[in-house]
Amino acid sequence: MSDDGRRAISVIGFIGSVFSPWYAWSGRRSPQDHCCINVATYGPAGRFAMTDRGRAALRQSPDALTVGPSEMRWHGDRLVMDLDEIASPPRIGRIRGTVTLTPGAVTGVELSLSRSGGHVWRPFAPVARIAVDLEAEGWQWEGHGYLDANFGDRALERDFDFWTWGRYPTPDGGALVVYDAARSDGTSLDAAFRFAADGTARAATAPPRTAMRRSGWGVRRATRADPGTVPRQVMPMLDAPFYARSVVATTIDGARLRGVHEALDLRRFASPLIKPMLALRVPRRRGWPTDQA
């Protein structure tokens, strides 16, 4: 998020693009053949790019992930993302430039999301600074950032019905991160962590989940909030039939917080009707380097 709260960006590297219809239709047998670097910008002239690419586009090293024309690489203590992607409708165009993330610290926290241990969450840098420099007017800015990763060996919709996640910067320069999920086996995950500016982490007791207004597509949403208060969306980001990302304001332990929130309905995502809709936003480019679109 930019310091002025008017712009935001998310960049996700996938090996095994879990939300790609092409990966689902392939039977998810070869993650390396369905990779991408997904870029979404929010605010004036915001765009979305998520191109499913084949194994020829994937290159990996201990310090870098390259997928087609875009790359994430560690440069000293900074994660540098060189981006060159084509946005999908309705705002077709190129997303090109550099995003640099500098962690305040790197944590060792690891949380198993499923009882089997088949899905793991790693909040590498819950507190970070970002510098954004894209080839678009007004897209040169700095702000606060966040770096995490999810790893899994099964399809999300096999093990989860629904989840919500939120990352809220706190007045002391740290962050509160909450991760809640309804698992397909009937159990639930209710996790909260407080991270200090130096990366020190501790499990936290957060107030109960509180429902908020559904997204434009009707995805139900909830996050933690003090009794008697209601979370609210203050900036829309991504609104899909099964997924919603937004900036949310809430009150936790008496502090008024504002951060990025997501809600994911895996039962909707599992519907065969969703995949053709996704294909309109997620093109497939199997070859590389001759097929560079």
Side-chain angles (χ1 to χ4, degrees), residues 80-144:
V80 179
M81 292 156 272
D82 290 322
L83 308 174
D84 189 357
E85 298 291 331
I86 300 295
S88 60
R91 294 191 59 85
I92 298 172
R94 192 173 292 274
I95 304 175
R96 181 159 49 191
T98 301
V99 177
T100 302
L101 180 140
T102 304
V106 175
T107 76
V109 173
E110 182 173 294
L111 176 68
S112 178
L113 301 177
S114 58
R115 299 177 74 188
S116 66
H119 299 273
V120 175
W121 170 60
R122 282 290 312 273
F124 288 115
V127 180
R129 293 292 298 172
I130 58 169
V132 177
D133 186 5
L134 301 181
E135 294 180 4
E137 183 178 355
W139 282 92
Q140 295 76 39
W141 50 265
E142 295 186 0
H144 59 86

Side-chain angles (χ1 to χ4, degrees), residues 1 45-46 61-62 110 134 136 154 158 187 230 241 253 259:
M1 288 290 301
S61 73
E110 182 173 294
L134 301 181
R154 284 160 54 97
R158 290 184 62 184
T187 63
V230 178
D253 295 337

Side-chain angles (χ1 to χ4, degrees), residues 35-37 51 53-59 65-71 82 84-85 285 287-289 291-293:
C35 54
C36 81
I37 292 183
T51 300
R53 299 187 186 275
R55 65 176 68 251
L58 176 64
R59 286 159 289 177
L65 169 67
T66 304
V67 181
S70 297
E71 180 181 68
D82 290 322
D84 189 357
E85 298 291 331
R285 299 289 183 265
W288 186 263
D291 180 7
Q292 298 190 39

Side-chain angles (χ1 to χ4, degrees), residues 6-88:
R6 297 184 62 242
R7 290 175 169 83
I9 186 169
S10 66
V11 182
I12 309 174
F14 288 98
I15 300 177
S17 188
V18 294
F19 300 122
S20 164
W22 312 100
Y23 187 36
W25 289 330
S26 75
R28 297 191 171 98
R29 291 182 295 270
S30 179
Q32 291 79 10
D33 200 39
H34 295 274
C35 54
C36 81
I37 292 183
N38 164 226
V39 185
T41 59
Y42 308 107
R47 289 188 166 97
F48 177 90
M50 188 174 184
T51 300
D52 183 306
R53 299 187 186 275
R55 65 176 68 251
L58 176 64
R59 286 159 289 177
Q60 291 176 268
S61 73
D63 296 321
L65 169 67
T66 304
V67 181
S70 297
E71 180 181 68
M72 303 177 178
R73 69 182 186 279
W74 284 103
H75 184 79
D77 63 350
R78 296 170 294 161
L79 181 65
V80 179
M81 292 156 272
D82 290 322
L83 308 174
D84 189 357
E85 298 291 331
I86 300 295
S88 60

